[in-house]
């Protein structure tokens, strides 16, 4: 590689890293406990699923009625079933059906007895999640973190390009004894070892930050087309049985099981339709959802179709980002890689600071000599 090209890549690596490092450190530090959020909530005595009752799930109508009775003044936005705990159902409630998700509460229920178990997450993990997702800044915060993730990917690519020119005379894994040189060797070694993982987590994180505008696009195009034939129909006064709605949705998508029900007026339905989202039974298809739109008054199927590619990309990217599709062994691997990523980011910041300080000291000495 020509020296001028190397210098250009070095500039790209330095500035993309510098701009994004503080925010990437925030994401790594908050992402580490999120990998184990189920376990941490259990240790805190929150969202503990036991004791769950064995047997068939209770009537969805009974579950909805119980949740509304437990939370007067609120309405249900979603009812769903936990994929990790078959006996666990969750209910998401808010002030109105169309209220923002950040204002909602999520409560766990025993799916067989429709009995309240408690909040689905501790206050601590909710704060950590908000910091990780949008820094309490809503959509602008999500998009900003997406931009930082894009810079991280650019830093990874430029770092990989620079790895060979800077280390070609060293055996792989060499750590030289001088303090700053040792940190440089650690930074290079850990960076190249984790480059692929960092790129995957960074790209999937960027995709996840786009979820809100992409869901808005789906509602404006696909969902709008699914309800075109029902425009102008009168508002629903008496709603159909949820059990009937769920049974009809399963008939429309044979071999699939319900993931969650979106109530009329919520983010994944319309003012006069239920949205039942079903998933497959294999490890891969369980991450892919198929929506069935049903008339809220009659329970009849209005339309069903597969999700567009961009929403499928979000669904696939989420488990890759958090490493929660392979059980505890994969979580431990993700956690170890996250810690290595923190070392890479921290060492890069340290190297920049010491180089800047050394350059400043040299310039001061030169000025004094004159």
């Amino acid at each position: 590689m020509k020296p001028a090209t190397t210098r250009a890549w070095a500039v790209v690596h330095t500035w993309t890293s510098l701009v994004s490092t503080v925010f990437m450190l925030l994401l790594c530090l908050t992402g580490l406990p999120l990998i184990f959020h189920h376990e941490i909530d259990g240790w805190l005595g929150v969202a503990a699923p036991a004791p769950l009752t064995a047997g068939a799930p209770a009537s969805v109508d009974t579950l909805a009625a119980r949740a509304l009775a437990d939370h007067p003044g609120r309405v249900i936005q979603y009812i769903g079933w936990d994929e990790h705990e078959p006996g666990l159902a969750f209910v998401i409630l808010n002030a109105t059906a169309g209220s923002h998700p950040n204002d909602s509460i999520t409560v766990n229920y025993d799916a067989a007895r429709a009995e309240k178990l408690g909040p689905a997450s501790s206050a601590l993990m909710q704060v950590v999640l908000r910091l990780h997702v949008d820094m309490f800044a809503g959509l602008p915060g999500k998009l900003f973190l997406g931009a930082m993730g894009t810079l991280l990917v650019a830093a990874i690519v430029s770092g990989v390009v620079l790895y060979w020119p800077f280390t070609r005379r060293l055996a792989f894994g060499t750590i030289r004894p001088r303090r700053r040189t040792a940190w440089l060797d650690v930074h290079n070694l850990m960076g190249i070892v984790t480059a692929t993982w960092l790129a995957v987590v960074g790209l999937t994180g960027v995709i996840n930050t786009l979820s809100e505008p992409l869901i808005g696009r789906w509602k404006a195009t696909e969902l709008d087309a699914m309800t075109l034939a029902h425009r102008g129909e009168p508002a629903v006064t008496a709603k159909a049985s949820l059990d009937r709605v769920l049974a009809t949705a399963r008939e429309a998508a044979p071999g699939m099981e319900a993931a969650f029900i979106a109530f009329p007026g919520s983010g994944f339905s319309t003012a006069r339709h239920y949205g039942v989202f079903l998933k497959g039974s294999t490890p891969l298809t369980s991450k892919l959802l198929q929506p069935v739109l049903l008339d809220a008054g009659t329970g009849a199927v209005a339309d069903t179709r597969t999700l567009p590619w961009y929403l499928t990309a979000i669904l696939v990217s989420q488990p890759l980002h958090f490493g929660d599709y392979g059980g505890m062994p994969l979580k431990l691997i993700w956690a170890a890689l996250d810690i290595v990523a923190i070392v890479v980011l921290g060492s890069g910041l340290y190297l920049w600071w010491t180089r800047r300080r050394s350059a400043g000291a040299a310039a001061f000495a030169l000025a004094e000599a004159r």
Side-chain angles (χ1 to χ4, degrees), residues 12-363:
V12 171
H13 185 70
T14 297
W15 288 104
T16 54
S17 300
L18 276 179
V19 173
S20 63
T21 288
V22 172
F23 300 100
M24 291 302 105
L25 278 171
L26 170 68
L27 294 180
C28 286
L29 290 170
T30 54
L32 188 58
L34 286 173
I35 295 172
F36 303 102
H37 67 97
H38 285 294
E39 291 78 9
I40 292 173
D41 282 336
W43 296 336
L44 295 174
V46 177
L52 294 174
T53 307
S59 161
V60 187
D61 289 305
T62 301
L63 177 59
R66 184 68 58 84
L68 291 173
D70 290 338
H71 303 88
R74 291 184 176 266
V75 300
I76 298 175
Q77 289 182 309
Y78 307 97
I79 290 179
W81 293 267
D82 194 295
E83 63 175 320
H84 303 292
E85 295 287 347
L88 196 66
F90 61 86
V91 182
I92 300 177
L93 305 103
N94 216 323
T96 66
S99 295
H100 196 277
N102 287 343
D103 300 322
S104 67
I105 60 170
T106 304
V107 185
N108 282 341
Y109 280 81
D110 186 312
R113 295 183 299 177
E115 291 187 359
K116 183 178 179 180
L117 296 174
S121 181
S122 64
L124 172 63
M125 294 312 297
Q126 290 174 14
V127 169
V128 172
L129 180 62
R130 285 295 306 277
L131 281 172
H132 190 85
V133 170
D134 62 11
M135 301 186 300
F136 288 92
L139 180 58
K142 288 181 181 179
L143 297 179
F144 178 79
L145 289 177
M148 294 301 101
T150 303
L151 289 179
L152 171 67
V153 174
I156 293 167
V157 171
S158 56
V160 170
V161 171
L162 291 169
Y163 179 77
W164 171 246
F166 278 90
T167 62
R168 64 183 183 275
R169 294 194 178 101
L170 299 173
F172 182 78
T174 298
I175 306 294
R176 290 167 290 180
R178 290 181 57 191
R179 182 177 179 182
R180 188 178 186 281
T181 308
W183 274 110
L184 177 62
D185 291 337
V186 168
H187 179 79
N188 289 336
L189 176 62
M190 291 190 171
I192 201 65
V193 168
T194 60
T196 300
W197 177 83
L198 275 171
V200 169
V201 171
L203 285 171
T204 53
V206 171
I207 293 171
N208 287 333
T209 63
L210 300 175
S211 61
E212 195 169 330
L214 290 179
I215 289 170
R217 173 179 170 78
W218 174 74
K219 291 177 66 176
T221 54
E222 299 281 333
L223 189 59
D224 186 66
M226 292 171 73
T227 60
L228 183 62
H230 304 277
R231 289 181 185 170
E233 293 181 355
V236 175
T237 54
K239 293 179 180 176
S241 162
L242 288 170
D243 293 303
R244 177 182 175 185
V245 165
L246 188 57
T248 305
R250 285 171 171 159
E251 291 173 2
M256 303 187 79
E257 56 188 64
F260 67 90
I261 301 173
F263 278 57
S266 63
F268 289 89
S269 63
T270 75
R272 62 165 295 111
H273 293 91
Y274 285 104
V276 179
F277 286 73
L278 301 106
K279 60 184 180 180
S281 55
T282 68
L284 176 60
T285 59
S286 66
K287 305 300 179 185
L288 306 177
L289 300 177
Q290 179 174 336
V292 179
L293 211 61
L294 302 103
D295 188 280
T298 65
V301 174
D303 198 359
T304 181
R305 58 183 68 184
T306 57
L307 289 176
W309 66 268
Y310 51 86
L311 289 189
T312 299
I314 291 174
L315 292 172
V316 172
S317 70
Q318 287 175 344
L320 280 174
H321 187 73
F322 288 107
D324 60 356
Y325 61 90
M328 184 55 69
L330 190 62
K331 287 184 177 185
L332 293 172
I333 293 172
W334 244 239
L337 290 169
D338 188 286
I339 293 170
V340 172
I342 291 172
V343 174
V344 172
L345 293 167
S347 60
L349 198 60
Y350 167 78
L351 290 167
W352 172 79
W353 175 251
T354 55
R355 181 178 180 182
R356 183 173 179 272
R357 189 173 60 180
S358 297

